[in-house]
Amino acid sequence: MPVPAHSTSDAALAAGDAVLPIRDASRRIVRELGFMRATLAGTELPASAVHALIEIGGRGSLTATELCQRLNLEKSSVSRMLRKLVGAGELAEGGSETDGRAKRLTLTAQGRRTLAAIDAFAHDQVGSALACLPAADHATVVEGLRLYAGALQDRRAAADGGRREGRPVESVPALRIEPVRIELGHRPGLIGRAVEMHARFYARAHGFGAAFESKVAAGLAEFVPRLDRPGNAVWTALDGDRIVGTLAIDGEDLSGDAPAPGIAHLRWFIVEDGRRGGGLGRRLLDEAMGFVDRSGFNETRLWTFRGLDAARRLYEAAGFALADERPGSQWGTEVTEQCFVRPRRC
């Protein structure tokens, strides 16, 4: 029996008007980001190798099989690429705790430096593009790209036998977008999650290690029990029940026992990888600065280090100005430390 001309699914019909514009936008994104070139992100590496370093760096370690699944590449292609990266000193191979036959791949010190350069290039590339859009549109871009990428991944998983990273995939339900919300106060898992986000980002982007992670953990463990005192506060950004960002104001660390009037210390400001540039950091910072001004602090200080240009732009937009910089190693690595100060706003 001939197939009727209108046997296409309702979902496909509903999406039909969007297919051509999305295809066009996808091609333009590929071209503008440089994926048509032989190398990517200001390196001498092809796109597949750049993506491999990003995936391995973001997760600490991966096996070749796991990397094949993430990159959607054939095993032979990934094997050749990994041999080149190992030979170039970007990756190291080690044994797997769960499978004696598998080798876990990790970044070397050189690999971490390469990844830091890739991240800096990409942040500048994407950040400068977002600067051409109104800030109110940033979250729309982030959410739209995340949903589209997820739908493509689900489609591939279903075509590969209905499994996505070891989990069954039955169908793609209608998506209901819940906005990320900002909440004041401690919640279970806050310390561990904040430490994890800091450790992963700064290890990948700047090569910080155990000393930095321990410092973050110790500082938070000392601070959180003081949240019941005036002048101390912490905010979490929540996607459902998952913590995807944190920021704290410590009113005692720099002011002694009298938090107001005095000096507020902005601490533990971090947004989860993949969510920066969408306005979430600005929302956290706005909450904190409103609290500081209402609490009567004379000024707010924060310590960071040279090279975090996107964060610096965010601080300066909130009224902070660079007050001091000097060499230091409190982060576990020698950097140029910077102190930013924001005077009280009446």
Side-chain angles (χ1 to χ4, degrees):
M1 177 181 294
V3 178
H6 297 289
S7 63
T8 312
S9 70
D10 291 341
L13 284 173
D17 292 340
V19 169
L20 290 179
I22 289 175
R23 287 181 58 197
D24 178 67
S26 297
R27 290 193 300 273
R28 285 188 289 144
I29 289 172
V30 166
R31 293 194 294 264
E32 294 301 326
L33 292 179
F35 282 90
M36 301 291 285
R37 305 188 189 112
T39 62
L40 185 66
T43 71
E44 296 300 317
L45 300 172
S48 58
V50 169
H51 278 251
L53 294 180
I54 292 171
E55 292 295 330
I56 293 169
R59 286 156 184 83
S61 69
L62 286 174
T63 65
T65 299
E66 291 168 338
L67 194 60
C68 287
Q69 295 170 347
R70 290 197 164 274
L71 298 184
N72 192 21
L73 292 174
E74 295 294 331
K75 183 177 180 180
S76 58
S77 299
V78 171
S79 295
R80 288 193 297 271
M81 174 187 65
L82 293 177
R83 283 198 298 271
K84 292 179 181 178
L85 289 174
V86 171
E90 304 284 354
L91 294 178
E93 294 179 311
S96 171
E97 296 179 359
T98 58
D99 186 349
R101 298 169 298 178
K103 295 181 179 179
R104 297 207 71 83
L105 299 152
T106 58
L107 297 182
T108 62
Q110 177 180 318
R112 290 193 295 271
R113 290 192 294 271
T114 301
L115 182 56
I118 291 169
D119 280 339
F121 181 96
H123 275 74
D124 180 69
Q125 190 178 42
V126 175
S128 59
L130 286 173
C132 298
L133 296 172
D137 290 343
H138 292 183
T140 301
V141 173
V142 171
E143 194 60 34
L145 287 172
R146 183 181 294 121
L147 290 173
Y148 181 44
L152 288 172
Q153 188 177 5
D154 284 340
R155 177 186 177 277
R156 170 163 65 95
D160 288 344
R163 298 191 67 81
R164 176 178 175 181
E165 296 183 7
R167 298 187 298 275
V169 175
E170 297 174 359
S171 62
V172 181
L175 293 167
R176 181 171 178 263
I177 303 171
E178 294 288 347
V180 174
R181 65 190 190 279
I182 308 296
E183 291 194 357
L184 173 65
H186 174 262
R187 44 187 308 114
L190 167 63
I191 294 176
R193 182 72 178 121
V195 171
E196 177 191 5
M197 287 188 290
H198 277 82
R200 286 185 178 277
F201 173 75
Y202 286 99
R204 187 186 72 249
H206 302 283
F208 290 2
F212 172 77
E213 185 172 347
S214 299
K215 187 177 182 70
V216 174
L220 274 162
E222 188 278 330
F223 168 74
V224 167
R226 297 193 275 110
L227 283 172
D228 60 344
R229 303 179 192 174
N232 298 329
V234 66
W235 293 263
T236 53
L238 297 165
D239 186 352
D241 291 328
R242 178 177 173 80
I243 297 174
V244 297
T246 62
L247 187 152
I249 292 295
D250 190 337
E252 297 176 287
D253 186 49
L254 302 177
S255 300
D257 295 330
I263 304 172
H265 188 183
L266 190 152
R267 311 178 75 180
W268 305 297
F269 185 19
I270 189 78
V271 173
E272 183 181 55
D273 289 345
R275 296 178 185 267
R276 300 183 188 94
L280 185 54
R282 187 179 302 277
R283 288 172 59 195
L284 282 165
L285 194 56
D286 286 347
E287 291 284 343
M289 293 303 94
F291 171 83
V292 163
D293 292 337
R294 291 191 303 272
S295 298
F297 287 102
N298 293 326
E299 65 181 42
T300 306
R301 297 181 186 177
L302 66 88
W303 272 263
T304 182
F305 57 93
R306 185 188 295 170
L308 300 177
D309 295 333
R312 176 170 181 166
R313 289 193 291 270
L314 192 60
Y315 299 144
E316 290 175 338
F320 286 88
L322 179 63
D324 186 25
E325 64 178 1
R326 64 188 72 172
S329 57
Q330 65 164 314
W331 315 98
T333 300
E334 187 75 19
V335 295
T336 300
E337 297 179 354
Q338 296 178 320
C339 177
F340 284 80
V341 175
R342 175 187 181 271
R344 180 180 179 181
R345 292 184 176 179
C346 299

